[in-house]
Every structure is written in C-alpha cells, then in structure tokens.
Amino acid sequence: MDALDFGPRKELLTLVRSLRQRLQLDGEAGRPLSYLTRPVDVPGRRGLAITAEATAPAGETGLNGLGSALEEVRKELGECRRCALHRTRRRLVFGEGNPKADLVFVGEAPGADEDAQGRPFVGRAGQLLTKIIEAMGLKREEVYICNILKCRPPGNRNPEPDEIASCEPFLIRQLAAIRPKVICALGTFSSHALLKSEAPISVLRGRFHSYQGIRLMPTYHPAYLLRNPGAKKLVWEDVQLIMKALRNGV
Ligand code: SF4
C-alpha cells in the first residue's frame, strides 16, 4: 500500500481532495472562493449563522429570501414544465430553510399539503420531521429541506425515472449552492437518486456515504415512520450519527 495513505500525509491528501471538491462546488454555484470570505463556522451550528439572506421576508418574487446562488436556481426552474407533473401540480415546491445550512434533508416529492402550500414537509410527515429536527437540538429554519421532485406526483404515486431525470439537475444545483456538511436522504427514492444505488434503504441506512464529497446519511422517510413507528429508533440512531458528525465539524 502507498505510504501516502498513512498518517499526516493521508490527512493532507484528504484536505487537498476536500478543498478541490469545495472549489468545484463553489465554481458550480458561481461563487469561486466564496468560502474564504465566510465567517468562521461553529462546529455543528453553522445553521445559527443565519444571514440577512436567510431571514429576509418574502419579496414580491416569492423567492422567500433565498441565498443568491439558490435564487439563481429557483429563477432558472421558473414555472417549470420539464416533465408531465406540471400539469397536475397546484404549486411547485422548491425547498426552504437556511441557504447556508450545515444539514440538508432531501425527501422524495411533495404530497397534498405541500402541493397546496408550496412548502416542503408541512403535512403529518413534515410535522414528524420537524420534531426530529428539534430533537437534534436544531430549529427547522436552521436546516434546509427539499425534495428530489418539486411537483407532486398524482395520488402520491412513486416518482417515475423520467421525472427524476428531469428534476434532479435542480436538486444537484441546490446542493451545490448550499454546500452542506451533511445530507440526510429521507427514504428510498431520495437515497437511490443521490447515491445511484438500488440497495434497500434498510441496507443503506446506519452509515455515512459520500455524495460529491459531502457526507450523506440515508434513513427512513417520516411517512414510513407514521406507518411503522417501530422504525423511529433506527432513525434516531441515524440522526445521532449526523449530530455527532456536525459536532465534530464533519
Ligand atoms: S417535477 Fe421538476 S421537472 Fe417536473 S415539472 Fe416539476 S419542477 Fe419541472
């Protein structure tokens, strides 16, 4: 094995790789070297450093105080008609939260409540997600919450592959704009889309994976927990690993 794989040299290589990935993400977000001017992070609590962008009231644009890079993504998405779901949606659900969050939750798609309100995770499953976030010692507005699909599949059916293919580029750009330390993929579709894996969620959960150099924890979707409360214990184990990673600065 290469001696570079050991000790301080390994750490240096890891740091260089991490910086390279960060530069790549900054470039994709149109903010080269932006992290050099960002305030020093408090490990695990970057979400508390909410900027004016994050707290600004909703403007006439309806962009709701998005960070500038996120705002660009939202503008480009527009009144999207890239897949058939635009015909049946009431409102497009882009995502909400801190545009500089350390932690991003990615679900599957809006449901009826989200479709009606234009906000992610506001129904019963969303209320459970809010409880999970608060049990982690965070506030909902400190994290960022979005879905793979921005429009509701009729009758809450599963997303079709062509719908994911049409919508996923915008999720990729959202994540590149936010650059979180940890992504929590909620449920099978989110985990499969982000990890390009078809392994069962029961196999994927419980350990970190890598998404573009960002730590990604798959866990069960809150809607699954409503049907299977016994799985809450497993989700709690997963979010504890996330909390530990955030505390340690990842
Ligand atoms: S699901 Fe995504 S790709 Fe399809 S119409 Fe909605 S925003 Fe566009």
Side-chain angles (χ1 to χ4, degrees), residues 77-87 89 92 148-152 162-163 165-168 170:
L77 189 59
E79 287 305 308
C80 182
R81 297 180 175 201
R82 291 172 179 83
C83 82
L85 294 180
H86 81 273
R87 295 196 194 101
R89 75 170 177 235
L92 189 151
I148 299 282
L149 296 185
K150 313 301 184 205
C151 303
R152 182 193 183 204
D162 66 308
E163 294 160 357
S166 298
C167 213
E168 193 184 10
F170 293 93

mmCIF file with all atom_site columns, all heavy atoms in Angstrom, residues 77-87 89 92 148-152 162-163 165-168 170, ligand 1:
data_model
loop_
_atom_site.group_PDB
_atom_site.id
_atom_site.type_symbol
_atom_site.label_atom_id
_atom_site.label_alt_id
_atom_site.label_comp_id
_atom_site.label_asym_id
_atom_site.label_entity_id
_atom_site.label_seq_id
_atom_site.pdbx_PDB_ins_code
_atom_site.Cartn_x
_atom_site.Cartn_y
_atom_site.Cartn_z
_atom_site.occupancy
_atom_site.B_iso_or_equiv
_atom_site.pdbx_formal_charge
_atom_site.auth_seq_id
_atom_site.auth_comp_id
_atom_site.auth_asym_id
_atom_site.auth_atom_id
_atom_site.pdbx_PDB_model_num
ATOM   1   N  N   . LEU A 1 77  ? -35.435 27.497 -12.714 1.00 0.00 ? 77  LEU A N   1
ATOM   2   C  CA  . LEU A 1 77  ? -36.515 26.494 -12.685 1.00 0.00 ? 77  LEU A CA  1
ATOM   3   C  C   . LEU A 1 77  ? -37.823 27.111 -13.168 1.00 0.00 ? 77  LEU A C   1
ATOM   4   O  O   . LEU A 1 77  ? -38.571 26.490 -13.923 1.00 0.00 ? 77  LEU A O   1
ATOM   5   C  CB  . LEU A 1 77  ? -36.661 25.962 -11.259 1.00 0.00 ? 77  LEU A CB  1
ATOM   6   C  CG  . LEU A 1 77  ? -37.570 24.758 -11.031 1.00 0.00 ? 77  LEU A CG  1
ATOM   7   C  CD1 . LEU A 1 77  ? -37.120 23.557 -11.852 1.00 0.00 ? 77  LEU A CD1 1
ATOM   8   C  CD2 . LEU A 1 77  ? -37.618 24.412 -9.551  1.00 0.00 ? 77  LEU A CD2 1
ATOM   9   N  N   . GLY A 1 78  ? -38.042 28.356 -12.737 1.00 0.00 ? 78  GLY A N   1
ATOM   10  C  CA  . GLY A 1 78  ? -39.224 29.092 -13.202 1.00 0.00 ? 78  GLY A CA  1
ATOM   11  C  C   . GLY A 1 78  ? -40.513 28.328 -12.956 1.00 0.00 ? 78  GLY A C   1
ATOM   12  O  O   . GLY A 1 78  ? -40.649 27.587 -11.988 1.00 0.00 ? 78  GLY A O   1
ATOM   13  N  N   . GLU A 1 79  ? -41.469 28.520 -13.830 1.00 0.00 ? 79  GLU A N   1
ATOM   14  C  CA  . GLU A 1 79  ? -42.731 27.762 -13.780 1.00 0.00 ? 79  GLU A CA  1
ATOM   15  C  C   . GLU A 1 79  ? -42.527 26.504 -14.625 1.00 0.00 ? 79  GLU A C   1
ATOM   16  O  O   . GLU A 1 79  ? -43.095 26.358 -15.707 1.00 0.00 ? 79  GLU A O   1
ATOM   17  C  CB  . GLU A 1 79  ? -43.883 28.614 -14.296 1.00 0.00 ? 79  GLU A CB  1
ATOM   18  C  CG  . GLU A 1 79  ? -44.298 29.705 -13.345 1.00 0.00 ? 79  GLU A CG  1
ATOM   19  C  CD  . GLU A 1 79  ? -44.650 29.164 -11.961 1.00 0.00 ? 79  GLU A CD  1
ATOM   20  O  OE1 . GLU A 1 79  ? -45.463 28.235 -11.880 1.00 0.00 ? 79  GLU A OE1 1
ATOM   21  O  OE2 . GLU A 1 79  ? -44.078 29.655 -10.968 1.00 0.00 ? 79  GLU A OE2 1
ATOM   22  N  N   . CYS A 1 80  ? -41.719 25.632 -14.088 1.00 0.00 ? 80  CYS A N   1
ATOM   23  C  CA  . CYS A 1 80  ? -41.162 24.504 -14.852 1.00 0.00 ? 80  CYS A CA  1
ATOM   24  C  C   . CYS A 1 80  ? -42.235 23.616 -15.502 1.00 0.00 ? 80  CYS A C   1
ATOM   25  O  O   . CYS A 1 80  ? -43.240 23.284 -14.897 1.00 0.00 ? 80  CYS A O   1
ATOM   26  C  CB  . CYS A 1 80  ? -40.299 23.672 -13.917 1.00 0.00 ? 80  CYS A CB  1
ATOM   27  S  SG  . CYS A 1 80  ? -39.522 22.290 -14.735 1.00 0.00 ? 80  CYS A SG  1
ATOM   28  N  N   . ARG A 1 81  ? -41.954 23.258 -16.746 1.00 0.00 ? 81  ARG A N   1
ATOM   29  C  CA  . ARG A 1 81  ? -42.804 22.310 -17.473 1.00 0.00 ? 81  ARG A CA  1
ATOM   30  C  C   . ARG A 1 81  ? -41.940 21.215 -18.092 1.00 0.00 ? 81  ARG A C   1
ATOM   31  O  O   . ARG A 1 81  ? -42.243 20.711 -19.165 1.00 0.00 ? 81  ARG A O   1
ATOM   32  C  CB  . ARG A 1 81  ? -43.576 23.035 -18.572 1.00 0.00 ? 81  ARG A CB  1
ATOM   33  C  CG  . ARG A 1 81  ? -44.526 24.084 -18.034 1.00 0.00 ? 81  ARG A CG  1
ATOM   34  C  CD  . ARG A 1 81  ? -45.262 24.768 -19.138 1.00 0.00 ? 81  ARG A CD  1
ATOM   35  N  NE  . ARG A 1 81  ? -46.251 25.676 -18.565 1.00 0.00 ? 81  ARG A NE  1
ATOM   36  C  CZ  . ARG A 1 81  ? -47.312 26.118 -19.222 1.00 0.00 ? 81  ARG A CZ  1
ATOM   37  N  NH1 . ARG A 1 81  ? -47.527 25.731 -20.454 1.00 0.00 ? 81  ARG A NH1 1
ATOM   38  N  NH2 . ARG A 1 81  ? -48.158 26.933 -18.645 1.00 0.00 ? 81  ARG A NH2 1
ATOM   39  N  N   . ARG A 1 82  ? -40.861 20.891 -17.407 1.00 0.00 ? 82  ARG A N   1
ATOM   40  C  CA  . ARG A 1 82  ? -39.914 19.948 -17.993 1.00 0.00 ? 82  ARG A CA  1
ATOM   41  C  C   . ARG A 1 82  ? -40.384 18.500 -17.925 1.00 0.00 ? 82  ARG A C   1
ATOM   42  O  O   . ARG A 1 82  ? -39.813 17.641 -18.580 1.00 0.00 ? 82  ARG A O   1
ATOM   43  C  CB  . ARG A 1 82  ? -38.543 20.090 -17.307 1.00 0.00 ? 82  ARG A CB  1
ATOM   44  C  CG  . ARG A 1 82  ? -37.856 21.415 -17.633 1.00 0.00 ? 82  ARG A CG  1
ATOM   45  C  CD  . ARG A 1 82  ? -36.606 21.618 -16.782 1.00 0.00 ? 82  ARG A CD  1
ATOM   46  N  NE  . ARG A 1 82  ? -35.922 22.865 -17.102 1.00 0.00 ? 82  ARG A NE  1
ATOM   47  C  CZ  . ARG A 1 82  ? -36.251 24.055 -16.609 1.00 0.00 ? 82  ARG A CZ  1
ATOM   48  N  NH1 . ARG A 1 82  ? -37.283 24.167 -15.776 1.00 0.00 ? 82  ARG A NH1 1
ATOM   49  N  NH2 . ARG A 1 82  ? -35.570 25.141 -16.936 1.00 0.00 ? 82  ARG A NH2 1
ATOM   50  N  N   . CYS A 1 83  ? -41.357 18.223 -17.064 1.00 0.00 ? 83  CYS A N   1
ATOM   51  C  CA  . CYS A 1 83  ? -41.942 16.872 -17.067 1.00 0.00 ? 83  CYS A CA  1
ATOM   52  C  C   . CYS A 1 83  ? -43.457 16.997 -16.895 1.00 0.00 ? 83  CYS A C   1
ATOM   53  O  O   . CYS A 1 83  ? -43.982 18.082 -16.627 1.00 0.00 ? 83  CYS A O   1
ATOM   54  C  CB  . CYS A 1 83  ? -41.325 15.967 -15.993 1.00 0.00 ? 83  CYS A CB  1
ATOM   55  S  SG  . CYS A 1 83  ? -42.007 16.176 -14.357 1.00 0.00 ? 83  CYS A SG  1
ATOM   56  N  N   . ALA A 1 84  ? -44.128 15.871 -17.022 1.00 0.00 ? 84  ALA A N   1
ATOM   57  C  CA  . ALA A 1 84  ? -45.604 15.886 -17.060 1.00 0.00 ? 84  ALA A CA  1
ATOM   58  C  C   . ALA A 1 84  ? -46.231 16.314 -15.739 1.00 0.00 ? 84  ALA A C   1
ATOM   59  O  O   . ALA A 1 84  ? -47.416 16.672 -15.711 1.00 0.00 ? 84  ALA A O   1
ATOM   60  C  CB  . ALA A 1 84  ? -46.110 14.493 -17.445 1.00 0.00 ? 84  ALA A CB  1
ATOM   61  N  N   . LEU A 1 85  ? -45.470 16.308 -14.669 1.00 0.00 ? 85  LEU A N   1
ATOM   62  C  CA  . LEU A 1 85  ? -46.057 16.646 -13.368 1.00 0.00 ? 85  LEU A CA  1
ATOM   63  C  C   . LEU A 1 85  ? -46.535 18.094 -13.294 1.00 0.00 ? 85  LEU A C   1
ATOM   64  O  O   . LEU A 1 85  ? -47.338 18.434 -12.429 1.00 0.00 ? 85  LEU A O   1
ATOM   65  C  CB  . LEU A 1 85  ? -45.056 16.363 -12.241 1.00 0.00 ? 85  LEU A CB  1
ATOM   66  C  CG  . LEU A 1 85  ? -44.706 14.878 -12.039 1.00 0.00 ? 85  LEU A CG  1
ATOM   67  C  CD1 . LEU A 1 85  ? -43.712 14.716 -10.904 1.00 0.00 ? 85  LEU A CD1 1
ATOM   68  C  CD2 . LEU A 1 85  ? -45.970 14.066 -11.768 1.00 0.00 ? 85  LEU A CD2 1
ATOM   69  N  N   . HIS A 1 86  ? -46.057 18.928 -14.186 1.00 0.00 ? 86  HIS A N   1
ATOM   70  C  CA  . HIS A 1 86  ? -46.504 20.331 -14.126 1.00 0.00 ? 86  HIS A CA  1
ATOM   71  C  C   . HIS A 1 86  ? -48.005 20.435 -14.416 1.00 0.00 ? 86  HIS A C   1
ATOM   72  O  O   . HIS A 1 86  ? -48.660 21.368 -13.981 1.00 0.00 ? 86  HIS A O   1
ATOM   73  C  CB  . HIS A 1 86  ? -45.712 21.187 -15.124 1.00 0.00 ? 86  HIS A CB  1
ATOM   74  C  CG  . HIS A 1 86  ? -46.200 21.098 -16.535 1.00 0.00 ? 86  HIS A CG  1
ATOM   75  N  ND1 . HIS A 1 86  ? -45.765 20.112 -17.414 1.00 0.00 ? 86  HIS A ND1 1
ATOM   76  C  CD2 . HIS A 1 86  ? -47.099 21.832 -17.219 1.00 0.00 ? 86  HIS A CD2 1
ATOM   77  C  CE1 . HIS A 1 86  ? -46.367 20.282 -18.573 1.00 0.00 ? 86  HIS A CE1 1
ATOM   78  N  NE2 . HIS A 1 86  ? -47.174 21.313 -18.488 1.00 0.00 ? 86  HIS A NE2 1
ATOM   79  N  N   . ARG A 1 87  ? -48.553 19.429 -15.115 1.00 0.00 ? 87  ARG A N   1
ATOM   80  C  CA  . ARG A 1 87  ? -49.968 19.502 -15.496 1.00 0.00 ? 87  ARG A CA  1
ATOM   81  C  C   . ARG A 1 87  ? -50.891 19.308 -14.291 1.00 0.00 ? 87  ARG A C   1
ATOM   82  O  O   . ARG A 1 87  ? -52.013 19.791 -14.287 1.00 0.00 ? 87  ARG A O   1
ATOM   83  C  CB  . ARG A 1 87  ? -50.293 18.426 -16.537 1.00 0.00 ? 87  ARG A CB  1
ATOM   84  C  CG  . ARG A 1 87  ? -49.574 18.630 -17.855 1.00 0.00 ? 87  ARG A CG  1
ATOM   85  C  CD  . ARG A 1 87  ? -50.197 17.802 -18.968 1.00 0.00 ? 87  ARG A CD  1
ATOM   86  N  NE  . ARG A 1 87  ? -49.301 17.775 -20.106 1.00 0.00 ? 87  ARG A NE  1
ATOM   87  C  CZ  . ARG A 1 87  ? -48.505 16.763 -20.403 1.00 0.00 ? 87  ARG A CZ  1
ATOM   88  N  NH1 . ARG A 1 87  ? -48.546 15.658 -19.686 1.00 0.00 ? 87  ARG A NH1 1
ATOM   89  N  NH2 . ARG A 1 87  ? -47.693 16.836 -21.439 1.00 0.00 ? 87  ARG A NH2 1
ATOM   90  N  N   . ARG A 1 89  ? -49.807 19.600 -10.849 1.00 0.00 ? 89  ARG A N   1
ATOM   91  C  CA  . ARG A 1 89  ? -49.432 20.273 -9.592  1.00 0.00 ? 89  ARG A CA  1
ATOM   92  C  C   . ARG A 1 89  ? -50.296 21.513 -9.375  1.00 0.00 ? 89  ARG A C   1
ATOM   93  O  O   . ARG A 1 89  ? -50.796 22.108 -10.335 1.00 0.00 ? 89  ARG A O   1
ATOM   94  C  CB  . ARG A 1 89  ? -47.962 20.689 -9.640  1.00 0.00 ? 89  ARG A CB  1
ATOM   95  C  CG  . ARG A 1 89  ? -47.745 21.907 -10.531 1.00 0.00 ? 89  ARG A CG  1
ATOM   96  C  CD  . ARG A 1 89  ? -46.357 22.492 -10.411 1.00 0.00 ? 89  ARG A CD  1
ATOM   97  N  NE  . ARG A 1 89  ? -46.215 23.597 -11.339 1.00 0.00 ? 89  ARG A NE  1
ATOM   98  C  CZ  . ARG A 1 89  ? -45.264 23.702 -12.261 1.00 0.00 ? 89  ARG A CZ  1
ATOM   99  N  NH1 . ARG A 1 89  ? -44.332 22.762 -12.377 1.00 0.00 ? 89  ARG A NH1 1
ATOM   100 N  NH2 . ARG A 1 89  ? -45.229 24.749 -13.064 1.00 0.00 ? 89  ARG A NH2 1
ATOM   101 N  N   . LEU A 1 92  ? -45.531 24.565 -7.218  1.00 0.00 ? 92  LEU A N   1
ATOM   102 C  CA  . LEU A 1 92  ? -44.191 23.982 -7.267  1.00 0.00 ? 92  LEU A CA  1
ATOM   103 C  C   . LEU A 1 92  ? -43.542 24.170 -5.891  1.00 0.00 ? 92  LEU A C   1
ATOM   104 O  O   . LEU A 1 92  ? -43.649 25.240 -5.295  1.00 0.00 ? 92  LEU A O   1
ATOM   105 C  CB  . LEU A 1 92  ? -43.401 24.697 -8.363  1.00 0.00 ? 92  LEU A CB  1
ATOM   106 C  CG  . LEU A 1 92  ? -42.038 24.161 -8.765  1.00 0.00 ? 92  LEU A CG  1
ATOM   107 C  CD1 . LEU A 1 92  ? -41.762 24.512 -10.234 1.00 0.00 ? 92  LEU A CD1 1
ATOM   108 C  CD2 . LEU A 1 92  ? -40.938 24.715 -7.889  1.00 0.00 ? 92  LEU A CD2 1
ATOM   109 N  N   . ILE A 1 148 ? -36.499 15.509 -4.069  1.00 0.00 ? 148 ILE A N   1
ATOM   110 C  CA  . ILE A 1 148 ? -35.979 15.170 -5.405  1.00 0.00 ? 148 ILE A CA  1
ATOM   111 C  C   . ILE A 1 148 ? -36.868 15.818 -6.467  1.00 0.00 ? 148 ILE A C   1
ATOM   112 O  O   . ILE A 1 148 ? -36.386 16.468 -7.382  1.00 0.00 ? 148 ILE A O   1
ATOM   113 C  CB  . ILE A 1 148 ? -35.986 13.634 -5.614  1.00 0.00 ? 148 ILE A CB  1
ATOM   114 C  CG1 . ILE A 1 148 ? -35.084 12.947 -4.585  1.00 0.00 ? 148 ILE A CG1 1
ATOM   115 C  CG2 . ILE A 1 148 ? -35.585 13.281 -7.042  1.00 0.00 ? 148 ILE A CG2 1
ATOM   116 C  CD1 . ILE A 1 148 ? -33.625 13.028 -4.869  1.00 0.00 ? 148 ILE A CD1 1
ATOM   117 N  N   . LEU A 1 149 ? -38.174 15.614 -6.352  1.00 0.00 ? 149 LEU A N   1
ATOM   118 C  CA  . LEU A 1 149 ? -39.130 16.206 -7.286  1.00 0.00 ? 149 LEU A CA  1
ATOM   119 C  C   . LEU A 1 149 ? -39.733 17.459 -6.672  1.00 0.00 ? 149 LEU A C   1
ATOM   120 O  O   . LEU A 1 149 ? -40.051 17.482 -5.480  1.00 0.00 ? 149 LEU A O   1
ATOM   121 C  CB  . LEU A 1 149 ? -40.269 15.233 -7.611  1.00 0.00 ? 149 LEU A CB  1
ATOM   122 C  CG  . LEU A 1 149 ? -39.920 13.946 -8.337  1.00 0.00 ? 149 LEU A CG  1
ATOM   123 C  CD1 . LEU A 1 149 ? -41.200 13.181 -8.687  1.00 0.00 ? 149 LEU A CD1 1
ATOM   124 C  CD2 . LEU A 1 149 ? -39.115 14.214 -9.599  1.00 0.00 ? 149 LEU A CD2 1
ATOM   125 N  N   . LYS A 1 150 ? -39.934 18.462 -7.486  1.00 0.00 ? 150 LYS A N   1
ATOM   126 C  CA  . LYS A 1 150 ? -40.508 19.718 -6.997  1.00 0.00 ? 150 LYS A CA  1
ATOM   127 C  C   . LYS A 1 150 ? -42.025 19.775 -7.188  1.00 0.00 ? 150 LYS A C   1
ATOM   128 O  O   . LYS A 1 150 ? -42.656 20.749 -6.766  1.00 0.00 ? 150 LYS A O   1
ATOM   129 C  CB  . LYS A 1 150 ? -39.880 20.915 -7.719  1.00 0.00 ? 150 LYS A CB  1
ATOM   130 C  CG  . LYS A 1 150 ? -38.353 20.873 -7.808  1.00 0.00 ? 150 LYS A CG  1
ATOM   131 C  CD  . LYS A 1 150 ? -37.708 20.809 -6.453  1.00 0.00 ? 150 LYS A CD  1
ATOM   132 C  CE  . LYS A 1 150 ? -36.184 20.876 -6.566  1.00 0.00 ? 150 LYS A CE  1
ATOM   133 N  NZ  . LYS A 1 150 ? -35.516 20.242 -5.417  1.00 0.00 ? 150 LYS A NZ  1
ATOM   134 N  N   . CYS A 1 151 ? -42.583 18.805 -7.851  1.00 0.00 ? 151 CYS A N   1
ATOM   135 C  CA  . CYS A 1 151 ? -44.032 18.793 -8.063  1.00 0.00 ? 151 CYS A CA  1
ATOM   136 C  C   . CYS A 1 151 ? -44.604 17.460 -7.600  1.00 0.00 ? 151 CYS A C   1
ATOM   137 O  O   . CYS A 1 151 ? -43.958 16.417 -7.700  1.00 0.00 ? 151 CYS A O   1
ATOM   138 C  CB  . CYS A 1 151 ? -44.365 18.999 -9.540  1.00 0.00 ? 151 CYS A CB  1
ATOM   139 S  SG  . CYS A 1 151 ? -43.675 20.521 -10.219 1.00 0.00 ? 151 CYS A SG  1
ATOM   140 N  N   . ARG A 1 152 ? -45.846 17.508 -7.135  1.00 0.00 ? 152 ARG A N   1
ATOM   141 C  CA  . ARG A 1 152 ? -46.482 16.333 -6.566  1.00 0.00 ? 152 ARG A CA  1
ATOM   142 C  C   . ARG A 1 152 ? -46.884 15.320 -7.638  1.00 0.00 ? 152 ARG A C   1
ATOM   143 O  O   . ARG A 1 152 ? -47.601 15.685 -8.578  1.00 0.00 ? 152 ARG A O   1
ATOM   144 C  CB  . ARG A 1 152 ? -47.727 16.751 -5.804  1.00 0.00 ? 152 ARG A CB  1
ATOM   145 C  CG  . ARG A 1 152 ? -48.434 15.593 -5.140  1.00 0.00 ? 152 ARG A CG  1
ATOM   146 C  CD  . ARG A 1 152 ? -49.819 15.980 -4.671  1.00 0.00 ? 152 ARG A CD  1
ATOM   147 N  NE  . ARG A 1 152 ? -50.453 14.872 -3.979  1.00 0.00 ? 152 ARG A NE  1
ATOM   148 C  CZ  . ARG A 1 152 ? -51.753 14.718 -3.847  1.00 0.00 ? 152 ARG A CZ  1
ATOM   149 N  NH1 . ARG A 1 152 ? -52.575 15.626 -4.362  1.00 0.00 ? 152 ARG A NH1 1
ATOM   150 N  NH2 . ARG A 1 152 ? -52.248 13.682 -3.214  1.00 0.00 ? 152 ARG A NH2 1
ATOM   151 N  N   . ASP A 1 162 ? -38.203 9.097  -15.484 1.00 0.00 ? 162 ASP A N   1
ATOM   152 C  CA  . ASP A 1 162 ? -38.034 10.279 -16.347 1.00 0.00 ? 162 ASP A CA  1
ATOM   153 C  C   . ASP A 1 162 ? -38.318 11.567 -15.582 1.00 0.00 ? 162 ASP A C   1
ATOM   154 O  O   . ASP A 1 162 ? -37.730 12.620 -15.874 1.00 0.00 ? 162 ASP A O   1
ATOM   155 C  CB  . ASP A 1 162 ? -38.929 10.183 -17.587 1.00 0.00 ? 162 ASP A CB  1
ATOM   156 C  CG  . ASP A 1 162 ? -40.406 10.244 -17.232 1.00 0.00 ? 162 ASP A CG  1
ATOM   157 O  OD1 . ASP A 1 162 ? -40.838 9.468  -16.367 1.00 0.00 ? 162 ASP A OD1 1
ATOM   158 O  OD2 . ASP A 1 162 ? -41.126 11.092 -17.794 1.00 0.00 ? 162 ASP A OD2 1
ATOM   159 N  N   . GLU A 1 163 ? -39.196 11.498 -14.578 1.00 0.00 ? 163 GLU A N   1
ATOM   160 C  CA  . GLU A 1 163 ? -39.461 12.683 -13.759 1.00 0.00 ? 163 GLU A CA  1
ATOM   161 C  C   . GLU A 1 163 ? -38.235 13.010 -12.896 1.00 0.00 ? 163 GLU A C   1
ATOM   162 O  O   . GLU A 1 163 ? -37.857 14.182 -12.760 1.00 0.00 ? 163 GLU A O   1
ATOM   163 C  CB  . GLU A 1 163 ? -40.691 12.432 -12.876 1.00 0.00 ? 163 GLU A CB  1
ATOM   164 C  CG  . GLU A 1 163 ? -41.985 12.284 -13.676 1.00 0.00 ? 163 GLU A CG  1
ATOM   165 C  CD  . GLU A 1 163 ? -43.097 11.584 -12.919 1.00 0.00 ? 163 GLU A CD  1
ATOM   166 O  OE1 . GLU A 1 163 ? -42.862 11.138 -11.766 1.00 0.00 ? 163 GLU A OE1 1
ATOM   167 O  OE2 . GLU A 1 163 ? -44.191 11.463 -13.492 1.00 0.00 ? 163 GLU A OE2 1
ATOM   168 N  N   . ALA A 1 165 ? -35.194 12.196 -13.624 1.00 0.00 ? 165 ALA A N   1
ATOM   169 C  CA  . ALA A 1 165 ? -34.137 12.664 -14.544 1.00 0.00 ? 165 ALA A CA  1
ATOM   170 C  C   . ALA A 1 165 ? -34.344 14.134 -14.909 1.00 0.00 ? 165 ALA A C   1
ATOM   171 O  O   . ALA A 1 165 ? -33.376 14.893 -15.038 1.00 0.00 ? 165 ALA A O   1
ATOM   172 C  CB  . ALA A 1 165 ? -34.124 11.797 -15.804 1.00 0.00 ? 165 ALA A CB  1
ATOM   173 N  N   . SER A 1 166 ? -35.600 14.552 -15.045 1.00 0.00 ? 166 SER A N   1
ATOM   174 C  CA  . SER A 1 166 ? -35.875 15.951 -15.419 1.00 0.00 ? 166 SER A CA  1
ATOM   175 C  C   . SER A 1 166 ? -35.626 16.906 -14.262 1.00 0.00 ? 166 SER A C   1
ATOM   176 O  O   . SER A 1 166 ? -35.174 18.035 -14.454 1.00 0.00 ? 166 SER A O   1
ATOM   177 C  CB  . SER A 1 166 ? -37.335 16.094 -15.869 1.00 0.00 ? 166 SER A CB  1
ATOM   178 O  OG  . SER A 1 166 ? -37.581 15.314 -17.007 1.00 0.00 ? 166 SER A OG  1
ATOM   179 N  N   . CYS A 1 167 ? -35.951 16.462 -13.060 1.00 0.00 ? 167 CYS A N   1
ATOM   180 C  CA  . CYS A 1 167 ? -35.927 17.363 -11.904 1.00 0.00 ? 167 CYS A CA  1
ATOM   181 C  C   . CYS A 1 167 ? -34.604 17.336 -11.138 1.00 0.00 ? 167 CYS A C   1
ATOM   182 O  O   . CYS A 1 167 ? -34.224 18.335 -10.528 1.00 0.00 ? 167 CYS A O   1
ATOM   183 C  CB  . CYS A 1 167 ? -37.070 16.995 -10.958 1.00 0.00 ? 167 CYS A CB  1
ATOM   184 S  SG  . CYS A 1 167 ? -37.771 18.410 -10.100 1.00 0.00 ? 167 CYS A SG  1
ATOM   185 N  N   . GLU A 1 168 ? -33.912 16.221 -11.175 1.00 0.00 ? 168 GLU A N   1
ATOM   186 C  CA  . GLU A 1 168 ? -32.725 16.057 -10.342 1.00 0.00 ? 168 GLU A CA  1
ATOM   187 C  C   . GLU A 1 168 ? -31.635 17.109 -10.593 1.00 0.00 ? 168 GLU A C   1
ATOM   188 O  O   . GLU A 1 168 ? -30.952 17.509 -9.652  1.00 0.00 ? 168 GLU A O   1
ATOM   189 C  CB  . GLU A 1 168 ? -32.154 14.645 -10.517 1.00 0.00 ? 168 GLU A CB  1
ATOM   190 C  CG  . GLU A 1 168 ? -31.130 14.316 -9.452  1.00 0.00 ? 168 GLU A CG  1
ATOM   191 C  CD  . GLU A 1 168 ? -30.493 12.959 -9.669  1.00 0.00 ? 168 GLU A CD  1
ATOM   192 O  OE1 . GLU A 1 168 ? -30.704 12.357 -10.753 1.00 0.00 ? 168 GLU A OE1 1
ATOM   193 O  OE2 . GLU A 1 168 ? -29.778 12.513 -8.774  1.00 0.00 ? 168 GLU A OE2 1
ATOM   194 N  N   . PHE A 1 170 ? -31.828 20.130 -10.818 1.00 0.00 ? 170 PHE A N   1
ATOM   195 C  CA  . PHE A 1 170 ? -32.076 21.300 -9.974  1.00 0.00 ? 170 PHE A CA  1
ATOM   196 C  C   . PHE A 1 170 ? -31.743 20.995 -8.518  1.00 0.00 ? 170 PHE A C   1
ATOM   197 O  O   . PHE A 1 170 ? -31.273 21.861 -7.785  1.00 0.00 ? 170 PHE A O   1
ATOM   198 C  CB  . PHE A 1 170 ? -33.515 21.789 -10.157 1.00 0.00 ? 170 PHE A CB  1
ATOM   199 C  CG  . PHE A 1 170 ? -33.739 22.321 -11.538 1.00 0.00 ? 170 PHE A CG  1
ATOM   200 C  CD1 . PHE A 1 170 ? -34.222 21.506 -12.546 1.00 0.00 ? 170 PHE A CD1 1
ATOM   201 C  CD2 . PHE A 1 170 ? -33.390 23.624 -11.845 1.00 0.00 ? 170 PHE A CD2 1
ATOM   202 C  CE1 . PHE A 1 170 ? -34.377 21.988 -13.836 1.00 0.00 ? 170 PHE A CE1 1
ATOM   203 C  CE2 . PHE A 1 170 ? -33.542 24.121 -13.129 1.00 0.00 ? 170 PHE A CE2 1
ATOM   204 C  CZ  . PHE A 1 170 ? -34.035 23.291 -14.127 1.00 0.00 ? 170 PHE A CZ  1
HETATM 205 S  S1  . SF4 B 2 .   ? -41.241 17.783 -11.145 1.00 0.00 ? 1   SF4 B S1  1
HETATM 206 FE FE1 . SF4 B 2 .   ? -39.435 19.027 -11.548 1.00 0.00 ? 1   SF4 B FE1 1
HETATM 207 S  S2  . SF4 B 2 .   ? -39.009 18.739 -13.753 1.00 0.00 ? 1   SF4 B S2  1
HETATM 208 FE FE2 . SF4 B 2 .   ? -41.146 18.086 -13.383 1.00 0.00 ? 1   SF4 B FE2 1
HETATM 209 S  S3  . SF4 B 2 .   ? -42.363 19.919 -13.810 1.00 0.00 ? 1   SF4 B S3  1
HETATM 210 FE FE3 . SF4 B 2 .   ? -41.942 19.879 -11.596 1.00 0.00 ? 1   SF4 B FE3 1
HETATM 211 S  S4  . SF4 B 2 .   ? -40.113 21.157 -11.341 1.00 0.00 ? 1   SF4 B S4  1
HETATM 212 FE FE4 . SF4 B 2 .   ? -40.248 20.605 -13.509 1.00 0.00 ? 1   SF4 B FE4 1
#
